[in-house]
Amino acid sequence: MLAIALHNFPEGLAVGTGVGSRSMTIAAPILVGIGLQDIPEGFVVALALMGVAYSRKQAVLVALYTGLVEGVAALVGFFATSFASGVLPWALAFAGGSMLYVVSDEMIPESHRQEYAKEATAGLMVGFVLMMFLDVTLS
Protein backbone atom coordinates (compact mmCIF):
# COMPACT_ATOMS: atom_id res chain seq x y z
CA MET A 1 0.00 0.00 0.00
CA LEU A 2 2.84 2.36 0.86
CA ALA A 3 4.57 1.69 -2.46
CA ILE A 4 1.37 2.51 -4.38
CA ALA A 5 0.80 5.67 -2.34
CA LEU A 6 4.41 6.75 -2.97
CA HIS A 7 3.99 5.91 -6.64
CA ASN A 8 0.80 8.00 -6.83
CA PHE A 9 2.47 11.20 -5.61
CA PRO A 10 4.73 11.70 -8.66
CA GLU A 11 1.88 10.55 -10.89
CA GLY A 12 -0.20 13.35 -9.45
CA LEU A 13 2.66 15.79 -10.01
CA ALA A 14 2.82 14.68 -13.63
CA VAL A 15 -0.93 15.18 -14.08
CA GLY A 16 -0.86 18.57 -12.38
CA THR A 17 2.12 19.85 -14.31
CA GLY A 18 0.67 18.58 -17.57
CA VAL A 19 -2.61 20.38 -16.98
CA GLY A 20 -0.74 23.41 -15.61
CA SER A 21 1.05 23.69 -18.94
CA ARG A 22 -2.31 24.68 -20.46
CA SER A 23 -1.39 22.68 -23.53
CA MET A 24 -3.54 19.71 -24.48
CA THR A 25 -0.62 18.35 -26.53
CA ILE A 26 1.30 17.97 -23.27
CA ALA A 27 -1.60 17.21 -20.93
CA ALA A 28 -3.64 14.69 -22.97
CA PRO A 29 -1.08 11.85 -23.17
CA ILE A 30 -0.28 12.25 -19.48
CA LEU A 31 -3.94 12.24 -18.45
CA VAL A 32 -4.88 9.29 -20.66
CA GLY A 33 -1.83 7.20 -19.78
CA ILE A 34 -2.03 7.71 -16.04
CA GLY A 35 -5.83 7.46 -16.02
CA LEU A 36 -5.76 4.14 -17.88
CA GLN A 37 -3.39 2.54 -15.41
CA ASP A 38 -5.01 4.00 -12.27
CA ILE A 39 -8.14 1.85 -12.58
CA PRO A 40 -6.42 -1.55 -12.61
CA GLU A 41 -3.94 -0.26 -10.04
CA GLY A 42 -6.79 0.47 -7.61
CA PHE A 43 -8.27 -2.98 -8.23
CA VAL A 44 -4.92 -4.61 -7.52
CA VAL A 45 -4.59 -2.77 -4.22
CA ALA A 46 -8.13 -3.74 -3.18
CA LEU A 47 -7.73 -7.38 -4.23
CA ALA A 48 -4.41 -7.69 -2.43
CA LEU A 49 -5.97 -6.30 0.74
CA MET A 50 -8.91 -8.68 0.49
CA GLY A 51 -6.35 -11.49 0.25
CA VAL A 52 -5.01 -10.53 3.69
CA ALA A 53 -8.39 -10.52 5.47
CA TYR A 54 -9.61 -6.96 4.80
CA SER A 55 -13.33 -6.72 4.16
CA ARG A 56 -14.44 -5.59 0.72
CA LYS A 57 -15.44 -2.18 2.10
CA GLN A 58 -12.13 -1.72 3.95
CA ALA A 59 -10.13 -2.77 0.89
CA VAL A 60 -11.95 -0.32 -1.39
CA LEU A 61 -11.54 2.52 1.12
CA VAL A 62 -7.80 1.90 1.51
CA ALA A 63 -7.42 1.74 -2.30
CA LEU A 64 -9.26 5.07 -2.57
CA TYR A 65 -7.04 6.60 0.12
CA THR A 66 -3.90 5.58 -1.77
CA GLY A 67 -5.39 7.31 -4.81
CA LEU A 68 -6.13 10.53 -2.91
CA VAL A 69 -2.39 11.13 -2.71
CA GLU A 70 -2.44 11.60 -6.47
CA GLY A 71 -5.13 14.28 -6.30
CA VAL A 72 -3.23 16.28 -3.70
CA ALA A 73 -0.02 16.04 -5.71
CA ALA A 74 -1.89 17.06 -8.89
CA LEU A 75 -2.99 20.27 -7.18
CA VAL A 76 0.58 20.96 -6.06
CA GLY A 77 1.90 20.35 -9.57
CA PHE A 78 -0.83 22.45 -11.19
CA PHE A 79 -0.30 25.47 -8.94
CA ALA A 80 3.48 25.21 -9.15
CA THR A 81 3.51 25.24 -12.95
CA SER A 82 0.70 27.79 -13.21
CA PHE A 83 2.76 30.31 -11.29
CA ALA A 84 6.13 29.43 -12.78
CA SER A 85 5.83 28.04 -16.32
CA GLY A 86 9.63 27.87 -16.62
CA VAL A 87 9.54 25.13 -14.01
CA LEU A 88 7.34 22.87 -16.18
CA PRO A 89 10.11 20.83 -17.87
CA TRP A 90 11.89 20.36 -14.55
CA ALA A 91 8.68 19.42 -12.76
CA LEU A 92 7.79 16.83 -15.42
CA ALA A 93 11.34 15.43 -15.30
CA PHE A 94 11.18 15.18 -11.49
CA ALA A 95 7.77 13.49 -11.62
CA GLY A 96 8.92 10.98 -14.24
CA GLY A 97 12.16 10.25 -12.41
CA SER A 98 10.31 9.80 -9.13
CA MET A 99 7.89 7.34 -10.69
CA LEU A 100 10.74 5.34 -12.19
CA TYR A 101 12.54 5.28 -8.85
CA VAL A 102 9.50 4.04 -6.93
CA VAL A 103 8.70 1.42 -9.57
CA SER A 104 12.26 0.10 -9.78
CA ASP A 105 13.00 0.27 -6.05
CA GLU A 106 9.68 -0.86 -4.57
CA MET A 107 7.22 -2.34 -7.03
CA ILE A 108 9.35 -4.49 -9.33
CA PRO A 109 11.21 -6.25 -6.49
CA GLU A 110 7.93 -6.81 -4.63
CA SER A 111 6.25 -8.27 -7.73
CA HIS A 112 9.11 -10.78 -8.13
CA ARG A 113 9.04 -12.14 -4.55
CA GLN A 114 6.49 -14.83 -5.29
CA GLU A 115 6.41 -17.31 -8.14
CA TYR A 116 4.89 -14.73 -10.49
CA ALA A 117 8.12 -13.14 -11.74
CA LYS A 118 7.48 -14.00 -15.40
CA GLU A 119 3.92 -12.62 -15.27
CA ALA A 120 5.12 -9.44 -13.56
CA THR A 121 7.81 -8.92 -16.21
CA ALA A 122 5.30 -9.57 -19.02
CA GLY A 123 2.90 -7.05 -17.46
CA LEU A 124 5.66 -4.46 -17.26
CA MET A 125 6.54 -5.01 -20.91
CA VAL A 126 2.91 -4.82 -22.07
CA GLY A 127 2.43 -1.61 -20.06
CA PHE A 128 5.55 -0.07 -21.58
CA VAL A 129 4.45 -0.93 -25.13
CA LEU A 130 0.97 0.48 -24.44
CA MET A 131 2.44 3.74 -23.15
CA MET A 132 4.70 4.04 -26.21
CA PHE A 133 1.70 3.38 -28.47
CA LEU A 134 -0.31 6.08 -26.67
CA ASP A 135 2.59 8.50 -26.87
CA VAL A 136 2.92 8.05 -30.63
CA THR A 137 -0.82 8.09 -31.41
CA LEU A 138 -1.69 11.05 -29.16
CA SER A 139 1.29 13.20 -30.17
Side-chain angles (χ1 to χ4, degrees):
M1 292 181 309
L2 182 60
I4 295 293
L6 286 172
H7 170 77
N8 282 341
F9 188 79
E11 279 185 358
L13 286 176
V15 168
T17 54
V19 173
S21 73
R22 300 194 187 339
S23 166
M24 283 308 291
T25 305
I26 293 172
I30 296 170
L31 291 168
V32 171
I34 290 177
L36 281 175
Q37 64 91 34
D38 275 346
I39 295 168
E41 185 177 270
F43 281 127
V44 168
V45 170
L47 288 173
L49 292 172
M50 288 171 54
V52 291
Y54 278 68
S55 71
R56 181 178 288 172
K57 183 179 177 181
Q58 290 172 321
V60 168
L61 285 175
V62 171
L64 287 173
Y65 289 144
T66 62
L68 286 177
V69 172
E70 192 170 321
V72 170
L75 289 173
V76 169
F78 175 77
F79 285 117
T81 54
S82 294
F83 294 117
S85 61
V87 176
L88 178 64
W90 294 99
L92 287 171
F94 176 77
S98 298
M99 282 190 282
L100 286 174
Y101 173 78
V102 170
V103 168
S104 68
D105 189 58
E106 295 285 336
M107 298 178 84
I108 291 174
E110 184 67 29
S111 70
H112 285 75
R113 287 183 198 244
Q114 304 295 326
E115 66 274 0
Y116 301 110
K118 290 192 185 315
E119 291 86 348
T121 301
L124 179 71
M125 292 169 56
V126 168
F128 181 78
V129 169
L130 177 62
M131 288 304 295
M132 292 298 100
F133 173 77
L134 289 172
D135 182 47
V136 169
T137 58
L138 295 176
S139 293

